[in-house]
Amino acid sequence: YPNPTTDKIFIELNQAKSGIMLFRFNGNPAIINGLSNLSTDILGNLVINTENLEAGYYCLKIPDIGDFFILKI
């Protein structure tokens, strides 16, 4: 949350997760702080700063959940 967002995306999971990726609709990964592969902290929380991303629609992929979430930035 929130969706749509303007500056940060907050992810709250019930366990730590790695391999989280944010993609543009054209399939190119978004680079956040020099990384395209993100991880939560040990509690399952992650804040993605989107202030420097181009406006548009993005897909968020969280491994083991199996679905893409569509976000508007």
Side-chain angles (χ1 to χ4, degrees), residues 19-65:
I20 298 170
M21 297 185 78
L22 188 63
F23 294 93
R24 290 198 51 88
F25 261 30
N26 65 7
N28 291 333
I31 307 299
I32 310 289
N33 294 330
L35 303 171
S36 62
N37 212 330
L38 307 170
S39 299
T40 66
D41 63 16
I42 59 171
L43 300 175
N45 299 314
L46 173 64
V47 177
I48 301 173
N49 185 343
T50 61
E51 290 176 339
N52 296 323
L53 292 180
E54 187 177 323
Y57 289 91
Y58 289 78
C59 297
L60 180 67
K61 182 170 187 338
I62 302 174
D64 302 327
I65 292 181

